[in-house]
Amino acid sequence: MAAGAAAAALGREGGEDAFRRLFRFYRQRDASDLRGVVDFSAPGGQVFRSHLSISSVSDQDASRAGLQPVSRWKAYGLNGYPGFIFIRNPFLPGCQRHWVKQCLKLYTQKPNVCNLDLHMAPEKTVDLWGQSKEQLRRKGSSKCEPRSLLEKLRWVTLGYHYNWDTKKYTANHHTPFPSDLAFLSEQVAAACGFQGFQAQAGILNYYHFDSSLGIHVDESELDHSRPLLSFSFGQSSIFLLGGLKREEAPTAMFMHSGDIMVMSGFSRLLHHAVPRVLPNPEGTALPSCLDQALSSDLPAGSVIEHSSDEDWQVCAKYLQSSRINMTIRQVLAEGQKFPEESGTDIKGQAPSEDSHHQENGRAKRRKPNTDS
């Protein structure tokens, strides 16, 4: 039986819900037999070309965000998933390196929040990059070597932070959202027809080959009319996109370095998950798109910064066994405010079962957020 047919058959079996069965199917599967997974580098079947709002983003603004002109983007949709847009790596050569470095070196700094804050004294998590870079640079292939703090990182939250007790965002738990990431998100949203998008909250997920992300829906934002944006860098993964109910079998698709997903409209509130991280399909330590150096001639007003060779060596070593995902969303509609009763403190929060980062089959608690 072909992999796709086998997956469909699993989705129809009784007992466990269809999404959970397919999650386990792809979680445990031999990586050499994934014929049932949609590959947007060879689109066909339920995949169709998606039209973008080319005039909404100038070539100059796209370049300032490290992106190719929108007219060159390869964007796709999926039959049965209105509002879902998949954009195959639209980044200019070398520009992915900026976002990787930001996720490891800058966005991990205070006042942003990370999973290590739950287990370590505040002074121990002030400079994760500084405490990890030498250890990462020297790291070999032995699994017996102790992990650096960056390798123990599972998530970082930006902007408005999610409260696990109330399952709400609150006005009194907010830190400044990075301006460069906000600009990137605004250009991608505008190209997909969402002018005026405001990047107000986000989560960075840090995956390794033994990591997964459980089944969930991103529904805690007060405004669901704005899209959820997802950016991936490093090793590849399988992403599952399901329905409004977990009884609906999901569609599996590959996500590679530089790929962007936009979930809007009907697809904004669908169940989704990441059952596994996969080695770069090119067979090299890093995808070739990450080997490209950044141009020395950046446009005026660019949010992209050059990375030193030393910094990139640390990032490259980290990415040899890891994947970074940034999810960005607008929490409030224009002029909207939080309900007064939502003000609570972050302490004492605990994540729900399906929002766990999972490693080696064991769920590891991560908070806040239920994002992929």
Side-chain angles (χ1 to χ4, degrees):
M1 181 182 293
L10 274 174
R12 291 191 298 267
E13 289 180 1
E16 196 173 30
D17 69 71
F19 202 126
R20 176 61 65 186
R21 285 194 296 275
L22 284 172
F23 181 93
R24 289 194 298 106
F25 175 82
Y26 285 112
R27 174 79 176 143
Q28 301 169 1
R29 228 168 149 66
D30 180 356
S32 65
D33 185 14
L34 295 170
R35 289 167 289 178
V37 183
V38 173
D39 187 349
F40 289 95
S41 64
Q46 69 185 109
V47 177
F48 60 89
R49 196 66 182 258
S50 183
H51 297 289
L52 298 173
S53 182
I54 296 175
S55 62
S56 296
V57 180
S58 68
D59 291 355
Q60 181 181 12
D61 280 347
S63 181
R64 288 176 57 207
L67 300 165
Q68 300 176 41
V70 178
S71 59
R72 299 182 187 174
W73 295 9
K74 296 180 179 179
Y76 302 94
L78 282 174
N79 288 324
Y81 297 97
F84 175 79
I85 304 172
F86 189 103
I87 304 169
R88 284 187 54 208
N89 182 16
F91 290 94
L92 290 166
C95 289
Q96 288 189 54
R97 292 187 176 192
H98 169 84
W99 302 110
V100 171
K101 185 193 70 172
Q102 297 296 80
C103 287
L104 292 175
K105 185 176 183 179
L106 183 64
Y107 300 157
T108 54
Q109 297 178 11
K110 298 301 173 237
N112 298 331
V113 182
C114 73
N115 64 294
L116 299 179
D117 297 329
L118 309 176
H119 314 291
M120 302 175 66
E123 62 271 16
K124 298 291 186 180
T125 61
V126 169
D127 185 15
L128 301 182
W129 173 270
Q131 296 183 70
S132 304
K133 60 182 182 180
E134 289 303 325
Q135 187 177 351
L136 270 172
R137 190 179 290 112
R138 298 192 307 267
K139 195 171 184 66
S141 57
S142 173
K143 294 184 179 180
C144 298
E145 296 180 59
R147 293 185 300 168
S148 65
L149 288 180
L150 278 179
E151 291 172 295
K152 295 178 181 180
L153 192 64
R154 291 294 171 264
W155 52 260
V156 169
T157 51
L158 311 171
Y160 288 113
H161 302 276
Y162 188 78
N163 185 307
W164 280 105
D165 289 335
T166 63
K167 293 183 169 50
K168 296 178 181 178
Y169 296 94
T170 58
N172 65 349
H173 192 214
H174 175 268
T175 56
F177 195 93
S179 59
D180 58 347
L181 183 52
F183 185 76
L184 169 68
S185 302
E186 290 160 7
Q187 308 318 305
V188 172
C192 295
F194 295 94
Q195 287 82 7
F197 176 85
Q198 299 177 47
Q200 297 175 335
I203 188 167
L204 316 179
N205 273 323
Y206 301 81
Y207 297 88
H208 305 295
F209 284 134
D210 55 357
S211 302
S212 64
L213 185 68
I215 307 163
H216 65 278
V217 176
D218 294 293
E219 59 185 355
S220 296
E221 295 74 31
L222 275 66
D223 179 18
H224 294 156
S225 69
R226 311 303 273 174
L228 176 74
L229 311 180
S230 172
F231 303 84
S232 290
F233 305 105
Q235 301 299 323
S236 299
S237 71
I238 293 176
F239 179 79
L240 297 179
L241 181 61
L244 294 172
K245 299 180 179 179
R246 286 175 50 148
E247 287 71 24
E248 300 177 53
T251 295
M253 62 197 79
F254 290 115
M255 288 196 72
H256 302 304
S257 191
D259 290 344
I260 301 173
M261 290 193 312
V262 178
M263 296 173 66
S264 67
F266 172 80
S267 294
R268 177 63 177 80
L269 296 176
L270 298 183
H271 288 84
H272 52 280
V274 178
R276 67 184 302 173
V277 177
L278 300 169
N280 165 35
E282 297 170 317
T284 51
L286 290 180
S288 57
C289 60
L290 290 172
D291 290 335
Q292 301 167 304
L294 187 64
S295 169
S296 58
D297 185 22
L298 294 174
S302 175
V303 301
I304 303 298
E305 300 173 345
H306 286 95
S307 300
S308 67
D309 290 341
E310 179 183 6
D311 280 357
W312 178 244
Q313 288 175 10
V314 176
C315 294
K317 179 68 75 168
Y318 176 89
L319 288 183
Q320 286 181 9
S321 60
S322 304
R323 167 184 179 253
I324 298 174
N325 179 253
M326 311 187 301
T327 57
I328 314 302
R329 74 290 316 283
Q330 181 171 334
V331 177
L332 300 168
E334 187 72 31
Q336 189 176 20
K337 295 182 179 180
F338 289 102
E340 291 183 7
E341 68 273 14
S342 64
T344 55
D345 188 70
I346 188 174
K347 293 181 180 179
Q349 297 164 11
S352 61
E353 178 182 357
D354 282 332
S355 64
H356 294 162
H357 241 314
Q358 296 174 329
E359 300 181 22
N360 296 323
R362 294 179 301 168
K364 294 205 171 183
R365 304 182 93 188
R366 59 181 285 274
K367 65 172 196 183
N369 221 320
T370 56
D371 313 296
S372 61

Short mmCIF file of all heavy atoms in Angstrom, two decimals, residues 7 17 22 37 41 103 110-111 156 180 193 197 207 218 222 235 257 260 297 299 361:
data_model
loop_
_atom_site.label_atom_id
_atom_site.label_comp_id
_atom_site.label_asym_id
_atom_site.label_seq_id
_atom_site.Cartn_x
_atom_site.Cartn_y
_atom_site.Cartn_z
N ALA A 7 -1.88 6.27 4.90
CA ALA A 7 -2.25 7.36 5.80
C ALA A 7 -3.75 7.58 5.79
O ALA A 7 -4.38 7.78 6.83
CB ALA A 7 -1.52 8.65 5.39
N ASP A 17 -8.95 9.54 17.53
CA ASP A 17 -9.37 10.49 16.50
C ASP A 17 -8.38 10.49 15.33
O ASP A 17 -7.21 10.14 15.47
CB ASP A 17 -9.54 11.89 17.08
CG ASP A 17 -8.24 12.56 17.50
OD1 ASP A 17 -7.45 12.93 16.62
OD2 ASP A 17 -8.02 12.71 18.72
N LEU A 22 -2.90 9.99 12.56
CA LEU A 22 -1.95 10.40 11.52
C LEU A 22 -0.74 11.09 12.12
O LEU A 22 0.37 11.00 11.57
CB LEU A 22 -2.64 11.30 10.51
CG LEU A 22 -3.55 10.54 9.54
CD1 LEU A 22 -4.35 11.50 8.68
CD2 LEU A 22 -2.73 9.62 8.65
N VAL A 37 3.23 12.77 1.63
CA VAL A 37 3.41 14.14 2.11
C VAL A 37 3.45 15.10 0.91
O VAL A 37 4.19 14.88 -0.05
CB VAL A 37 4.70 14.27 2.94
CG1 VAL A 37 4.83 15.69 3.49
CG2 VAL A 37 4.70 13.25 4.07
N SER A 41 7.70 21.81 -3.66
CA SER A 41 8.74 21.97 -4.67
C SER A 41 8.40 21.19 -5.93
O SER A 41 9.01 21.40 -6.98
CB SER A 41 10.10 21.51 -4.12
OG SER A 41 10.08 20.11 -3.84
N CYS A 103 16.99 35.05 16.06
CA CYS A 103 16.28 34.08 16.91
C CYS A 103 17.18 33.47 17.97
O CYS A 103 16.70 33.08 19.05
CB CYS A 103 15.68 32.97 16.05
SG CYS A 103 14.23 33.48 15.09
N LYS A 110 16.39 39.30 27.40
CA LYS A 110 15.33 39.91 28.16
C LYS A 110 15.02 41.29 27.57
O LYS A 110 15.90 41.92 27.00
CB LYS A 110 15.74 40.04 29.64
CG LYS A 110 16.01 38.69 30.30
CD LYS A 110 14.77 37.83 30.23
CE LYS A 110 15.04 36.43 30.73
NZ LYS A 110 14.71 35.40 29.75
N PRO A 111 13.75 41.74 27.61
CA PRO A 111 12.68 41.24 28.48
C PRO A 111 11.84 40.13 27.87
O PRO A 111 10.79 39.80 28.43
CB PRO A 111 11.83 42.49 28.69
CG PRO A 111 11.94 43.23 27.39
CD PRO A 111 13.37 43.00 26.95
N VAL A 156 10.55 30.96 22.77
CA VAL A 156 10.68 32.35 23.21
C VAL A 156 9.41 33.07 22.78
O VAL A 156 8.94 32.87 21.66
CB VAL A 156 11.91 33.04 22.58
CG1 VAL A 156 11.88 34.55 22.83
CG2 VAL A 156 13.21 32.44 23.12
N ASP A 180 12.27 44.81 13.37
CA ASP A 180 12.65 44.18 12.10
C ASP A 180 11.69 43.05 11.75
O ASP A 180 11.24 42.91 10.60
CB ASP A 180 14.10 43.68 12.12
CG ASP A 180 14.39 42.68 13.24
OD1 ASP A 180 13.57 42.53 14.17
OD2 ASP A 180 15.47 42.04 13.18
N GLY A 193 -2.68 40.00 0.84
CA GLY A 193 -3.96 40.70 0.83
C GLY A 193 -4.38 41.26 2.17
O GLY A 193 -5.54 41.66 2.33
N PHE A 197 -1.68 44.89 8.53
CA PHE A 197 -1.41 43.87 9.56
C PHE A 197 -0.44 44.43 10.60
O PHE A 197 0.55 45.07 10.26
CB PHE A 197 -0.83 42.62 8.91
CG PHE A 197 -0.42 41.55 9.88
CD1 PHE A 197 -1.33 40.63 10.35
CD2 PHE A 197 0.90 41.46 10.33
CE1 PHE A 197 -0.96 39.62 11.24
CE2 PHE A 197 1.29 40.46 11.21
CZ PHE A 197 0.36 39.55 11.67
N TYR A 207 13.27 23.52 17.48
CA TYR A 207 13.08 22.08 17.35
C TYR A 207 14.42 21.37 17.11
O TYR A 207 15.32 21.94 16.49
CB TYR A 207 12.20 21.75 16.15
CG TYR A 207 10.78 22.27 16.20
CD1 TYR A 207 10.46 23.54 15.74
CD2 TYR A 207 9.74 21.47 16.68
CE1 TYR A 207 9.15 24.01 15.77
CE2 TYR A 207 8.43 21.92 16.70
CZ TYR A 207 8.15 23.20 16.24
OH TYR A 207 6.86 23.65 16.26
N ASP A 218 -4.83 27.79 17.08
CA ASP A 218 -4.47 29.13 17.56
C ASP A 218 -5.73 30.00 17.55
O ASP A 218 -6.06 30.60 16.54
CB ASP A 218 -3.39 29.73 16.67
CG ASP A 218 -2.10 28.98 16.75
OD1 ASP A 218 -1.47 28.99 17.82
OD2 ASP A 218 -1.70 28.34 15.75
N LEU A 222 -7.81 37.93 19.99
CA LEU A 222 -9.15 38.49 20.01
C LEU A 222 -9.68 38.79 18.62
O LEU A 222 -10.88 38.93 18.42
CB LEU A 222 -9.18 39.77 20.86
CG LEU A 222 -9.36 39.58 22.37
CD1 LEU A 222 -8.18 38.85 22.99
CD2 LEU A 222 -9.57 40.93 23.06
N GLN A 235 16.63 22.84 9.42
CA GLN A 235 16.22 21.53 8.96
C GLN A 235 14.73 21.53 8.58
O GLN A 235 13.99 22.45 8.93
CB GLN A 235 16.50 20.48 10.03
CG GLN A 235 17.97 20.40 10.44
CD GLN A 235 18.89 20.00 9.29
OE1 GLN A 235 18.54 19.19 8.44
NE2 GLN A 235 20.09 20.59 9.25
N SER A 257 13.60 25.07 4.75
CA SER A 257 14.18 26.33 5.20
C SER A 257 13.77 27.47 4.29
O SER A 257 13.90 27.39 3.07
CB SER A 257 15.71 26.22 5.25
OG SER A 257 16.27 27.33 5.91
N ILE A 260 7.34 29.90 4.01
CA ILE A 260 6.41 30.69 4.81
C ILE A 260 5.01 30.11 4.63
O ILE A 260 4.62 29.78 3.52
CB ILE A 260 6.42 32.17 4.38
CG1 ILE A 260 7.82 32.77 4.53
CG2 ILE A 260 5.40 32.98 5.19
CD1 ILE A 260 7.93 34.19 3.97
N ASP A 297 25.92 44.95 -0.48
CA ASP A 297 25.21 46.16 -0.85
C ASP A 297 23.74 46.03 -0.46
O ASP A 297 22.91 45.58 -1.25
CB ASP A 297 25.35 46.42 -2.35
CG ASP A 297 24.74 47.75 -2.77
OD1 ASP A 297 24.60 48.62 -1.89
OD2 ASP A 297 24.39 47.91 -3.96
N PRO A 299 20.01 47.57 0.66
CA PRO A 299 19.25 48.78 0.32
C PRO A 299 19.12 49.72 1.50
O PRO A 299 19.20 49.30 2.67
CB PRO A 299 17.89 48.23 -0.10
CG PRO A 299 17.77 46.93 0.61
CD PRO A 299 19.16 46.37 0.66
N GLY A 361 9.22 10.88 22.35
CA GLY A 361 7.93 10.34 22.71
C GLY A 361 7.39 10.82 24.04
O GLY A 361 6.30 10.47 24.43
#
